Amino acid sequence: MKRKMMAVVLTMAMTTAMAAGCSGSSDTSGSGEDSYTIGISQFAEHGSLDNCREGFLKGLENEGIVEGENLTVEYQNAAADMGTASQISDAFVSDKVDLICAIATPTAQSAYNAAMDTDIPVVYTAVTDPVAAELADEDGNPVGNVTGTSDELPIKEQLEMIRQMLPEAETVGIMYTTSEANSISALETYKELAGDYGFEIVESGISSTADISLAADDLISKVDCITNLTDNTVVASLPTILEKANEKGIPVFGSEIEQVRIGCLAAEGLDYVALGEQTGEMAAKILKGEAQASDMAYETITEPGFYVNTKVAENLGVTVPEELAQNAVESFDEIAESSAE
């Protein structure tokens, strides 16, 4: 009788242990609170995307999900390689993380494809055009268990600002990666609006980082200024482009605060830390079970800010209009070293 009772007790203990091991978010802290493991896949290493990641973790922290306390983060960088991005996504799915954060369009696409047949939600950030990337429908609704934030460029405001800064300019150069859907979409919008401000767009398509140097030399020889997109391959090589442009006295306009910090003249652009923070808060709702990614339309930052580097303006002999200067969200009086260097 004692043996039978002991067997029943052991069976109940094993069943309880197995149930605990198979529950959703495991509690590894011993505090009784939920803990989470997420995978962060970043397409390339440069300031803009680094800021997104910093902001994303801050957004989670705002909601009580803190790395080292109740959050384990698996971070991987694809070094601007699509094949590597796919491998990272597959590994996260194999590890059965609770959520994948995909930073930039190529990683968002690969993460969604990898997680499509699982219950792992994907939350993206720094995706310029989620519709063109086939992550959302025409109404902005998710195509599956995927949502996030868009860094759609304020192109109209950018063109207005360039016209104010360079009243005599006629041609604006844009370098872009031909395989990036977000870059193609932004380029088309620039072409549609440029004529309203008396500009002609001169484009230069590249396929990889190896094309940057020659493409920059050619583009600089044809234009009065250059404006950047949020193109990951181009932004990762921005120090090279800036060096060549500065030698010829050609202003380069950025698309967000970090590009201005490291040497672009100015931008009507985004704060990527704020964008990442907004994304992290969305992800927290999903992790806590308060919302489903499949029910959350993607979000944007609606108000761009004007950022200017007065040291660059001084070097180029460009006068910053008083109206713009007074309304600057942030003004830099020195050129910071790029993290890509």
Side-chain angles (χ1 to χ4, degrees):
M1 187 70 173
K2 289 183 179 179
R3 284 185 184 172
K4 185 174 182 181
M5 181 61 72
M6 183 63 72
V8 170
V9 171
L10 287 171
T11 300
M12 291 175 65
M14 291 174 64
T15 302
T16 301
M18 290 175 65
C22 295
S23 64
S25 296
S26 59
D27 172 27
T28 58
S29 63
S31 63
E33 297 180 356
D34 284 338
S35 60
Y36 311 94
T37 298
I38 65 171
I40 298 181
S41 177
Q42 184 171 315
F43 185 61
E45 184 178 357
H46 57 73
S48 306
L49 302 188
D50 292 343
N51 285 349
C52 277
R53 186 176 76 252
E54 175 189 336
F56 178 77
L57 294 174
K58 183 179 179 182
L60 288 173
E61 187 172 336
N62 292 343
E63 300 300 320
I65 301 176
V66 183
E67 185 177 8
E69 295 182 12
N70 58 351
L71 175 65
T72 299
V73 177
E74 297 180 15
Y75 167 67
Q76 295 291 332
N77 192 300
D81 184 87
M82 277 301 303
T84 303
S86 295
Q87 292 172 7
I88 291 169
S89 298
D90 290 341
F92 285 160
V93 170
S94 179
D95 289 345
K96 298 181 180 179
V97 297
D98 295 308
L99 179 144
I100 298 174
C101 170
I103 304 176
T105 301
T107 47
Q109 291 171 318
S110 67
Y112 174 60
N113 289 335
M116 188 181 298
D117 296 324
T118 74
D119 59 358
I120 299 174
V122 174
V123 178
Y124 56 79
T125 187
V127 173
T128 302
D129 192 341
V131 176
E134 300 182 348
L135 299 169
D137 63 22
E138 292 292 341
D139 296 321
N141 298 313
V143 296
N145 200 22
V146 56
T147 189
T149 57
S150 165
D151 60 348
E152 181 179 2
L153 293 173
I155 294 174
K156 177 178 178 292
E157 291 84 351
Q158 180 86 342
L159 287 167
E160 288 177 351
M161 179 269 293
I162 295 174
R163 176 51 70 208
Q164 286 179 270
M165 296 276 284
L166 303 177
E168 304 299 323
E170 297 179 355
T171 52
V172 178
I174 296 178
M175 190 181 300
Y176 71 103
T177 305
T178 55
S179 60
E180 279 208 32
N182 58 316
S183 297
I184 294 170
S185 174
L187 176 63
E188 290 305 312
T189 303
Y190 262 108
K191 288 179 179 179
E192 290 172 10
L193 297 178
D196 295 341
Y197 303 92
F199 291 124
E200 174 191 353
I201 299 297
V202 180
E203 63 186 88
S204 178
I206 62 165
S207 58
S208 69
T209 304
D211 301 332
I212 292 284
S213 184
L214 288 177
D217 287 336
D218 182 59
L219 188 62
I220 288 166
S221 70
K222 298 176 179 178
V223 299
D224 297 315
C225 66
I226 291 173
T227 189
N228 267 336
L229 307 179
T230 51
D231 187 292
N232 293 288
T233 305
V234 175
V235 174
S237 299
L238 187 54
T240 298
I241 297 168
L242 286 170
E243 181 180 0
K244 291 177 176 292
N246 289 337
E247 288 176 357
K248 301 295 183 181
I250 300 296
V252 178
F253 292 91
S255 55
E256 51 84 39
I257 182 174
E258 190 67 26
Q259 294 175 24
V260 177
R261 190 194 311 273
I262 67 170
C264 285
L265 173 57
E268 280 285 351
L270 308 174
D271 182 337
Y272 273 84
V273 174
L275 186 71
E277 188 172 353
Q278 183 174 340
T279 314
E281 290 171 356
M282 293 175 72
K285 292 179 181 179
I286 296 167
L287 288 170
K288 291 178 178 181
E290 298 171 0
Q292 297 288 326
S294 56
D295 296 329
M296 302 171 70
Y298 74 83
E299 299 179 5
T300 61
I301 288 182
T302 56
E303 291 295 328
F306 175 65
Y307 304 96
V308 64
N309 193 310
T310 56
K311 181 61 176 176
V312 174
E314 177 186 334
N315 291 345
L316 293 171
V318 174
T319 300
V320 181
E322 187 64 25
E323 180 184 355
L324 286 174
Q326 289 179 347
N327 292 321
V329 175
E330 193 155 358
S331 179
F332 303 100
D333 57 10
E334 62 181 10
I335 300 171
E337 184 177 346
S338 168
S339 60
E341 291 183 307

